[in-house]
Amino acid sequence: REKVADSKYIDTTSNANSHVIQSYEYSLSPTAQPKDPYPNGFCDHKCLEDKVARGSGLVGLKNLGNTCFMNATLQCLLHCNAIATYFAHRRNESKGSLANSFARLCREIYHQDNDGIDVDPSEMKEAIGQRAVQFAGYEQQDAHELLRFLLDGLGEDLKVHREEKMEPKAQIEEQLESASAVEQGHYWWTRHLAKNSSFITDEFCGQFRSTVTCLVCGREKYCFDPFYDLSLPLPNESLGCSLRRNIHRHIRSADGCTLSDCLHSLVNDEEVSSDCSWCKKRQSCKRSLRVERAPKILVLHLKRFNNSRRKKNTLVSFPLLAPLEFSRFISSGNTGSKSLLYDLFAICHHTGRTNSGHYVA
């Protein structure tokens, strides 16, 4: 593989643990960076690049009262180098209050003289509460739900609007029946981008391919959906310590599992009963799920709650120095000869129980 600039990998969570990840295969081109619109107030371009490169932006966020879920989520996003570079150097303010507030917070975090202090995120909290009433008060909330809201909200504020007339979905599905899986995936991906093009989509959005294979006639039917994070089931149901960091490699223990185990649980094939359009009746089928397109920044959410809302504290080990090899989870025909590697750079971790606890980034 070709190694471009140092890219990194995130992890963010709900009342669970989760991971946000960015691949070595992607990086922002230095020539594509906008000029610093705040030369006298906030860090210049080289200063920001230096701070991001050395893991700076060492600034705390004040707890405004049960806002650890928000602070931890924001810290993960603010220490993603693509996010920091983009928002700290935005030339023009967007029409959305959420993106504008996030950009101002980002610039304050990376101010030259701010390392080692804390910042009041009240403006950001107010902007979030205006758009989502569930986050307006000071009750404990779920960090994963907030992250999804932020990605949706920031993407909406930064959306590049295009007026394109789309053919009805049912009509297109009939036309695509004879097309290959790769061709169908390309069409649905292009259609999604036509309606949802933004910086957030470029960085965080991936695509699923779901394949249903009739076990009688062998015909396959495909369905493609965009995603901004992967919610991973825990294959081990035991209740032990919550998280273990393994610096050199994954180690599976009796009461734990690896991050790769969780990914395999997501994409495991299963037998289902489904209508077959070729057999013209309901048949036994095999359903498989794969990633058709991997995002530049991958968010992994560990599903730590069962139907009884009891938290699963299964150990999950993940690599810190060795990158995560992701190509095995990509649908066939899309991996080529390249390895798809992700490097961990942020974790939003919850300690405690279902209705109480604390988040840290």
Side-chain angles (χ1 to χ4, degrees):
R1 63 184 172 83
E2 274 189 310
K3 184 176 180 182
V4 270
D6 284 326
S7 302
K8 307 199 172 181
Y9 136 25
I10 277 192
D11 171 359
T12 119
T13 170
S14 81
N15 276 352
N17 310 306
S18 52
H19 314 1
V20 180
I21 307 172
Q22 179 175 348
S23 166
Y24 283 113
E25 308 235 349
Y26 304 90
S27 66
L28 291 176
S29 168
T31 58
Q33 306 293 350
K35 293 181 180 179
D36 182 13
Y38 302 94
N40 299 319
F42 293 94
C43 51
D44 60 24
H45 183 78
K46 187 175 186 308
C47 172
L48 176 63
E49 290 293 320
D50 291 343
K51 279 174 171 279
V52 172
R54 68 174 187 263
S56 189
L58 305 177
V59 177
L61 296 176
K62 292 181 180 178
N63 193 320
L64 306 176
N66 286 329
T67 57
C68 60
F69 75 96
M70 179 187 77
N71 292 355
T73 303
L74 290 174
Q75 289 283 20
C76 288
L77 290 176
L78 290 165
H79 285 83
C80 169
N81 58 1
I83 294 285
T85 303
Y86 179 84
F87 280 96
H89 289 287
R90 279 186 56 74
R91 182 185 297 274
N92 299 315
E93 299 248 320
S94 74
K95 295 181 180 179
S97 60
L98 191 66
N100 291 336
S101 295
F102 186 82
R104 284 191 286 271
L105 178 63
C106 186
R107 293 194 295 267
E108 191 171 4
I109 289 289
Y110 284 97
H111 191 286
Q112 292 111 318
D113 302 322
N114 273 3
D115 276 6
I117 68 168
D118 58 12
V119 168
D120 188 333
S122 295
E123 181 191 350
M124 187 66 199
K125 185 183 184 307
E126 183 178 354
I128 292 171
Q130 288 175 350
R131 295 272 284 270
V133 294
Q134 66 269 33
F135 300 122
Y138 293 91
E139 299 295 323
Q140 296 186 40
Q141 300 290 346
D142 185 277
H144 180 234
E145 291 180 7
L146 176 65
L147 176 67
R148 284 192 166 185
F149 162 77
L150 287 173
L151 294 181
D152 288 343
L154 292 173
E156 187 66 29
D157 284 0
L158 302 173
K159 186 183 292 185
V160 179
H161 294 279
R162 299 185 225 172
E163 294 296 330
E164 293 190 30
K165 187 176 180 180
M166 298 290 178
E167 295 184 64
K169 187 174 180 180
Q171 180 180 336
I172 289 297
E173 287 177 340
E174 290 182 7
Q175 297 174 9
L176 290 175
E177 278 189 356
S178 59
S180 68
V182 173
E183 290 171 335
Q184 291 185 41
H186 177 73
Y187 171 80
W188 292 114
W189 180 250
T190 303
R191 183 182 174 110
H192 176 71
L193 293 183
K195 294 182 177 181
N196 301 279
S197 180
S198 73
F199 168 76
I200 298 298
T201 303
D202 293 343
E203 297 297 318
F204 287 92
C205 191
Q207 185 186 39
F208 276 130
R209 180 205 291 187
S210 175
T211 305
V212 177
T213 306
C214 178
L215 296 178
V216 177
C217 69
R219 295 295 189 93
E220 294 181 336
K221 183 176 182 180
Y222 307 104
C223 181
F224 298 88
D225 293 295
F227 67 85
Y228 289 83
D229 63 63
L230 302 181
S231 287
L232 306 181
L234 300 182
N236 193 312
E237 299 293 329
S238 63
L239 301 174
C241 299
S242 61
L243 188 67
R244 181 179 59 188
R245 301 180 185 184
N246 175 26
I247 295 179
H248 299 293
R249 65 186 187 280
H250 284 312
I251 297 177
R252 184 182 289 102
S253 64
D255 60 348
C257 62
T258 69
L259 187 56
S260 292
D261 291 334
C262 297
L263 285 163
H264 278 295
S265 294
L266 177 69
V267 301
N268 277 344
D269 296 347
E270 60 178 339
E271 189 168 331
V272 297
S273 177
S274 180
D275 293 326
C276 177
S277 57
W278 291 275
C279 295
K280 305 300 181 183
K281 62 179 181 179
R282 201 164 190 82
Q283 300 281 34
S284 294
C285 301
K286 180 185 74 173
R287 182 169 60 193
S288 62
L289 183 68
R290 296 292 185 273
V291 174
E292 182 76 0
R293 282 175 174 78
K296 298 177 185 179
I297 303 171
L298 176 64
V299 182
L300 300 179
H301 162 240
L302 302 182
K303 297 167 69 174
R304 291 196 172 273
F305 294 99
N306 53 30
N307 293 333
S308 65
R309 299 298 294 166
R310 186 183 181 191
K311 185 176 179 181
K312 303 174 186 176
N313 289 311
T314 306
L315 275 78
V316 178
S317 61
F318 57 89
L320 286 181
L321 298 184
L324 175 71
E325 171 55 65
F326 197 74
S327 57
R328 74 188 92 169
F329 307 108
I330 302 294
S331 53
S332 59
N334 282 337
T335 55
S337 58
K338 292 184 177 180
S339 295
L340 182 58
L341 304 175
Y342 285 104
D343 218 6
L344 180 67
F345 75 89
I347 300 172
C348 180
H349 179 57
H350 178 265
T351 57
R353 300 180 180 180
T354 305
N355 298 317
S356 65
H358 186 60
Y359 283 101
V360 295

